[in-house]
Amino acid sequence: MANDKNRNYAQEIKDAIASGADQSVVNDLNSQRNEKIAANQDYYASKGISSDDGYAADAYLYGQKLSSSGSSGNAGGSYNKGAPSYTSKYADQINALTQQILNSSYGGFKTGDEYAALQQSYTKNGQKAMQDTLGQISARTGGLASSYAGSASQQSYNNYMDTLEQAALEMYQDKLSGDRSNLSMLSGLESGDYAKYADQLSQWNADRSFSYGVESDNRNFNYQAGRDAVSDNHYDQEYADSRSDYGDSRGDVEYQKQAAAADNLAQYGDFSGYKALGYTDSQIAAMKKQWQVEQAMSAAKTTKKTSTKSSAGYGGGSQNYDGLFASAQSAVSPQNFISSNYKKYGFSSASGLWSAYQKWAGNGADATSLNYNEDEGVFKWNGKQYSSAEKLASAIEKAGLTSSQKQALSKKFSLYGFDISFN
């Protein structure tokens, strides 16, 4: 269905590019996305989403790559291969065992089948001990019944049954200990699998960065070659005009005016002026594409520089604030991690680092500012983007926010349709 308001075209564009799809598929998805945005212009404008954003640039650059490789799709190379994905093999077992341990109690154990079987066994053995005692005393008295025999046999039964509770408690504790040991083993297997995935993802990112760098260098070279060709053509035309039958410089002057006007327009992306200079439509189209690529690359470099500058502000020298804080945010207790590892990151003292971490992690003036891009499915909080509510909630929990700040964020989550609460 064209222009389906419920489709996430941005994600489909990403997936199509990652899988090396035909350019026609990418162009069609981009066109439908533009129609969807145009049909809800006010809504998307309020969220900073437009038809000429990064996804349009991605679609265009993907077409340039396919054109330069002489292919309409499946161009190959690390840049177009999808990122490795991770699916836990143990998540269901870990979750089930965790809930079993958390919900476990001795009182609950006593209502179960294991306790019932144990009680039945002890009752049977207690009755046997009572009968054995009664038989032994009766044998000594010639088989005559006595109150002593009855009392002694009953005491044997009671003594035996008194050990039932101790045996049941030990059985419950052994079972709980076994469950915890199994959970530890499963968690270790899970950590090992995730570490392998993290290594694969790191390598994929490195390969992708290298491939994109090679492609970028090739585009720069092709663009410069095109500009050199324009310059050479100007020179050839000027020389031809100077040898014309006019006998003066009128032809040369007129051409120079036209060339200057064409160059002027080209600075702003309008290459129509080269038509009068003898360039073909395909040559003009090629120059325009190269100009668009150069503009996109320039914008990307500017964004990268701005991002690099904005990450500063926590210190200088050899002290690695971002490295320490990023590692702390991944730890179970960020504050304990900072206290134990600050020296590894170039700090002589942990004084003031927790306050700096809280500012870095989001405990600042904008700690309760939360935005959700419904079209892309992306959250933005504290200058960072998160692809899921769960990942963002985990980051918020580790940011050292106050209870009132967490409560404010929970309300904003609910406005976007997510039920998120914090400790």
Side-chain angles (χ1 to χ4, degrees):
M1 180 188 298
N3 186 15
D4 185 348
K5 66 178 182 179
N6 296 317
R7 286 178 66 181
N8 188 342
Y9 292 105
Q11 185 60 51
E12 290 188 36
I13 290 173
K14 288 181 183 178
D15 294 342
I17 292 175
S19 65
D22 289 346
Q23 179 62 25
S24 60
V25 174
V26 177
N27 287 344
D28 184 55
L29 289 171
N30 190 47
S31 177
Q32 292 184 53
R33 180 175 184 266
N34 292 343
E35 291 176 8
K36 177 181 175 182
I37 293 173
N40 301 274
Q41 188 172 7
D42 292 340
Y43 172 75
Y44 288 111
S46 68
K47 295 182 174 293
I49 299 173
S50 67
S51 59
D52 58 353
D53 54 17
Y55 296 100
D58 287 346
Y60 171 74
L61 290 175
Y62 180 67
Q64 288 295 102
K65 172 179 171 54
L66 296 185
S67 297
S68 64
S69 65
S71 170
S72 62
N74 298 314
S78 300
Y79 182 70
N80 279 324
K81 291 179 181 178
S85 60
Y86 178 75
T87 302
S88 172
K89 295 186 294 186
Y90 309 101
D92 291 342
Q93 293 172 275
I94 289 174
N95 290 336
L97 198 52
T98 299
Q99 291 303 315
Q100 182 174 316
I101 292 171
L102 292 176
N103 296 327
S104 174
S105 69
Y106 181 58
F109 173 78
K110 290 182 66 175
T111 64
D113 294 338
E114 290 178 294
Y115 180 84
L118 184 66
Q119 186 181 41
Q120 183 179 10
S121 175
Y122 266 72
T123 300
K124 181 179 179 181
N125 291 331
Q127 290 173 343
K128 184 177 182 302
M130 182 173 66
Q131 291 172 356
D132 290 344
T133 301
L134 183 62
Q136 292 171 6
I137 295 175
S138 296
R140 291 198 299 268
T141 60
L144 297 176
S146 68
S147 60
Y148 170 74
S151 176
S153 61
Q154 182 64 44
Q155 186 62 43
S156 296
Y157 175 81
N158 293 341
N159 290 342
Y160 198 87
M161 292 304 292
D162 285 343
T163 63
L164 170 62
E165 284 302 310
Q166 181 62 32
L169 182 60
E170 290 177 357
M171 179 181 285
Y172 166 73
Q173 291 174 338
D174 287 344
K175 183 177 184 304
L176 186 60
S177 177
D179 288 343
R180 287 171 175 166
S181 178
N182 290 337
L183 179 60
S184 178
M185 179 188 67
L186 289 171
S187 298
L189 293 173
E190 172 78 359
S191 297
D193 282 359
Y194 189 82
K196 293 177 183 178
Y197 158 73
D199 289 342
Q200 293 173 352
L201 182 61
S202 177
Q203 185 60 51
W204 180 84
N205 281 322
D207 292 343
R208 184 176 185 273
S209 178
F210 176 79
S211 298
Y212 185 80
V214 171
E215 294 163 13
S216 179
D217 290 343
N218 288 337
R219 285 195 296 269
N220 288 341
F221 176 81
N222 292 336
Y223 178 77
Q224 188 57 49
R227 299 303 299 170
D228 290 344
V230 171
S231 179
D232 292 344
N233 193 289
H234 283 179
Y235 175 81
D236 293 342
Q237 187 63 45
E238 290 170 3
Y239 178 78
D241 287 344
S242 69
R243 304 284 293 177
S244 66
D245 294 332
Y246 283 109
D248 53 30
S249 61
R250 282 178 297 170
D252 180 53
V253 171
E254 183 61 25
Y255 182 86
Q256 288 182 6
K257 288 182 179 180
Q258 291 178 343
D263 289 341
N264 229 1
L265 292 173
Q267 296 180 40
Y268 303 97
D270 183 357
F271 291 83
S272 60
Y274 290 115
K275 185 74 172 179
L277 301 178
Y279 287 85
T280 65
D281 291 337
S282 60
Q283 289 173 323
I284 293 173
M287 286 189 288
K288 185 170 183 177
K289 285 184 178 180
Q290 292 296 341
W291 180 85
Q292 290 172 329
V293 170
E294 185 180 58
Q295 294 300 305
M297 291 173 61
S298 177
K301 288 179 180 178
T302 300
T303 302
K304 184 176 181 181
K305 289 179 180 178
T306 302
S307 176
T308 301
K309 290 179 180 179
S310 65
S311 67
Y314 297 103
S318 60
Q319 297 168 338
N320 186 359
Y321 279 84
D322 285 338
L324 173 61
F325 293 163
S327 298
Q329 194 172 41
S330 301
V332 175
S333 173
Q335 190 168 11
N336 290 342
F337 181 90
I338 291 173
S339 299
S340 302
N341 296 275
Y342 65 90
K343 289 184 179 180
K344 296 179 182 179
Y345 294 85
F347 297 92
S348 60
S349 170
S351 177
L353 288 179
W354 176 240
S355 296
Y357 168 80
Q358 289 180 305
K359 179 181 178 183
W360 179 90
N363 194 3
D366 295 329
T368 58
S369 177
L370 174 65
N371 292 310
Y372 177 57
N373 188 325
E374 185 178 3
D375 184 50
E376 316 302 344
V378 173
F379 292 90
K380 187 172 183 181
W381 176 73
N382 189 33
K384 300 182 181 69
Q385 289 189 346
Y386 299 85
S387 58
S388 71
E390 290 76 13
K391 291 181 180 179
L392 173 54
S394 177
I396 292 173
E397 283 284 14
K398 296 181 178 182
L401 301 184
T402 64
S403 298
S404 61
Q405 289 173 322
K406 290 181 179 180
Q407 186 177 8
L409 288 170
S410 293
K411 290 181 178 179
K412 292 191 176 181
F413 269 116
S414 65
L415 292 176
Y416 293 124
F418 295 89
D419 183 16
I420 302 292
S421 60
F422 301 99
N423 296 326

